[in-house]
Amino acid sequence: MASVKFDHITFRYGTNTILEDFSLRLDEGQIMGIVGPSGCGKTTLVRCLCGFIKPEKGSISIGDTCVFSAEKRINMPPEKRNIGVVFQDYAVWPHLSVYDNITYPMRKRRIAKEEIVKRADYALSQVRMTDYKKHLPSQLSGGQQQRVAIARALVTSGKLIVLDEPITNLDLKLREEMLEEIRLIQKNTGTTILYITHDQEAALRLCDRIAILDAKGHLCQTGTDEEIIYRPANRFVFTFVGVSNFIPVAKKKDGLYISVGEQMKIRDGIPPEINNLRSPVMGVRPMDILFNDSSPIRGEVKSATFLGNLYNYFIQLGNRQIRVQQNTLDVLRTREYREGEMVGLEFARALYYEEPHEGVEA
Ligand SMILES: Nc1ncnc2c1ncn2[C@@H]1O[C@H](COP(=O)(O)OP(=O)(O)OP(=O)(O)O)[C@@H](O)[C@H]1O
Ligand SMILES: [Mg+2]
């Protein structure tokens, strides 16, 4: 088990700044997810951590060991950093058997033979691949190959494993299994895991804590799944971690109104958090909008779709179309609504953000 600390890291490819003054802390024994849109710098961060590329500024520590410091001119070579890593683009060596794939990194490090056998057998049993020792990767499914890659990471390091987007090539069912698998491996071994993905749903399900990066590689927020979902730090995080509606609001003497061509009052008084916003918009999740026939906020149902565990509605509210979702149990308590019907709506939970202006997107 080891903690990881990125301290004020700056990294550029030529003049292209990928990470700037980036700091992040990962506690030992945790699964930390790093989530962000494609191209934001996640793999770059992993490469810095593993020592394949060198930041221009800052420092990186693993446990008590400083593996990189620009100031102190420390740059420990990758093989000494003891990180088990599964990269997104290649997982296993195609010409080596499962067993050789797993033992190769240890043989390279000249670990004693008995120890190699012991560790390989343990790692194989952890990922339930003992029966496949002699197979070549081409004889395995995608999910099994990923498991081999994880086993190889496990034998390389019992203290820190980095998984860079390890399951995107798998189908949905296998993906779910792999997430379970990773959880289980973490529980059994206590290893610290850094899990990199742009799939925020997978991260929310798997990780103890999540760090969210925006497209420019800025760290927007770190937190537990609950903190990220219920208290998103900014509009980007709000949008990134789920379906969202944004509706402009207007502050008036007697309360708050939505501005959707016409104005409709949604509450008395002005929530204090929007006092200093110039053009506030209300962010509201589809599940947090309720049907209420007696509400003066009226809209027309444009489409109604049943999605198995929930109903999805698009509702025309003035000049805006918003999305409303109800789970099937709620529908039992209210009723189903049909296309063309006028309905009353209530906003049960909302957050407020500054409306982005031209060229400025939060
Ligand atoms: N070797 C390189 N030389 C120059 N630019 C690079 C190099 N590798 C990556 N980049 C650029 O750095 C930026 C960040 O890339 P990175 O691979 O870290 O993104 P990512 O967050 O891992 O994306 P994805 O989710 O698609 O894997 C991208 O704009 C990419 O084009
Ligand atoms: Mg990447």
Side-chain angles (χ1 to χ4, degrees), residues 34-255:
I34 297 195
V35 189
S38 185
C40 75
K42 303 180 297 295
T43 297
T44 304
L45 191 69
V46 173
R47 291 206 183 111
C48 291
L49 173 65
C50 294
F52 301 131
I53 52 175
K54 202 173 127 186
E56 192 177 297
K57 291 183 196 155
S59 64
I60 303 172
S61 321
I62 301 175
D64 297 329
T65 314
C66 173
V67 295
F68 175 80
S69 165
E71 199 176 277
K72 294 183 194 152
R73 295 178 177 275
I74 296 172
N75 190 17
M76 193 183 268
E79 64 275 12
K80 294 230 167 102
R81 296 193 186 189
N82 260 327
I83 303 168
V85 55
V86 179
F87 273 109
Q88 64 188 132
D89 35 7
Y90 63 94
V92 285
W93 293 299
H95 57 291
L96 296 182
S97 70
V98 166
Y99 192 75
D100 288 344
N101 254 286
I102 292 172
T103 52
Y104 180 77
M106 294 189 282
R107 280 185 276 133
K108 211 174 139 209
R109 281 163 54 212
R110 300 187 185 286
I111 291 172
K113 194 157 177 225
E114 289 150 39
E115 179 68 19
I116 291 181
V117 174
K118 207 173 98 194
R119 279 204 227 167
D121 284 345
Y122 174 72
L124 277 168
S125 70
Q126 282 302 314
V127 299
R128 292 188 282 116
M129 287 295 289
T130 306
D131 295 342
Y132 295 86
K133 270 187 198 178
K134 296 206 176 96
H135 283 61
L136 282 171
S138 59
Q139 298 166 312
L140 303 175
S141 74
Q144 289 169 331
Q145 291 184 31
Q146 292 293 359
R147 272 143 73 177
V148 174
I150 291 174
R152 195 178 56 202
L154 269 174
V155 299
T156 310
S157 172
K159 57 173 191 171
L160 175 60
I161 290 183
V162 180
L163 304 167
D164 189 357
E165 206 90 82
I167 56 167
T168 35
N169 296 330
L170 309 183
D171 66 42
L172 189 67
K173 191 158 169 290
L174 258 178
R175 258 200 335 246
E176 309 241 314
E177 279 174 27
M178 273 317 294
L179 288 180
E180 270 313 303
E181 204 86 57
I182 294 169
R183 248 269 167 244
L184 215 66
I185 290 169
Q186 202 279 334
K187 225 167 113 191
N188 290 341
T189 57
T191 314
T192 309
I193 294 182
L194 193 58
Y195 181 84
I196 317 282
T197 180
H198 45 177
D199 178 354
Q200 73 284 359
E201 251 177 60
L204 288 166
R205 285 196 9 226
L206 175 71
C207 302
D208 299 307
R209 290 177 71 74
I210 299 160
I212 305 223
L213 272 57
D214 68 13
K216 290 183 179 147
H218 298 144
L219 181 63
C220 296
Q221 186 171 8
T222 56
T224 62
D225 49 356
E226 234 182 292
E227 286 164 351
I228 302 268
I229 289 179
Y230 292 120
R231 291 189 291 284
N234 59 28
R235 186 180 161 133
F236 174 80
V237 177
F238 188 94
T239 315
F240 196 69
V241 295
V243 184
S244 41
N245 295 294
F246 287 102
I247 307 168
V249 292
K251 297 180 252 189
K252 290 195 170 187
K253 273 210 186 84
D254 66 332

Side-chain angles (χ1 to χ4, degrees), residues 222-292:
T222 56
T224 62
D225 49 356
E226 234 182 292
E227 286 164 351
I228 302 268
I229 289 179
Y230 292 120
R231 291 189 291 284
N234 59 28
R235 186 180 161 133
F236 174 80
V237 177
F238 188 94
T239 315
F240 196 69
V241 295
V243 184
S244 41
N245 295 294
F246 287 102
I247 307 168
V249 292
K251 297 180 252 189
K252 290 195 170 187
K253 273 210 186 84
D254 66 332
L256 196 65
Y257 287 70
I258 50 172
S259 291
V260 285
E262 56 199 289
Q263 296 197 325
M264 305 179 203
K265 186 172 175 183
I266 53 169
R267 55 170 283 170
D268 291 328
I270 306 295
E273 68 267 27
I274 67 170
N275 274 334
N276 46 15
L277 299 184
R278 270 189 311 149
S279 340
V281 288
M282 174 173 73
V284 54
R285 304 254 186 237
M287 279 287 190
D288 293 335
I289 303 174
L290 310 177
F291 289 103
N292 176 350

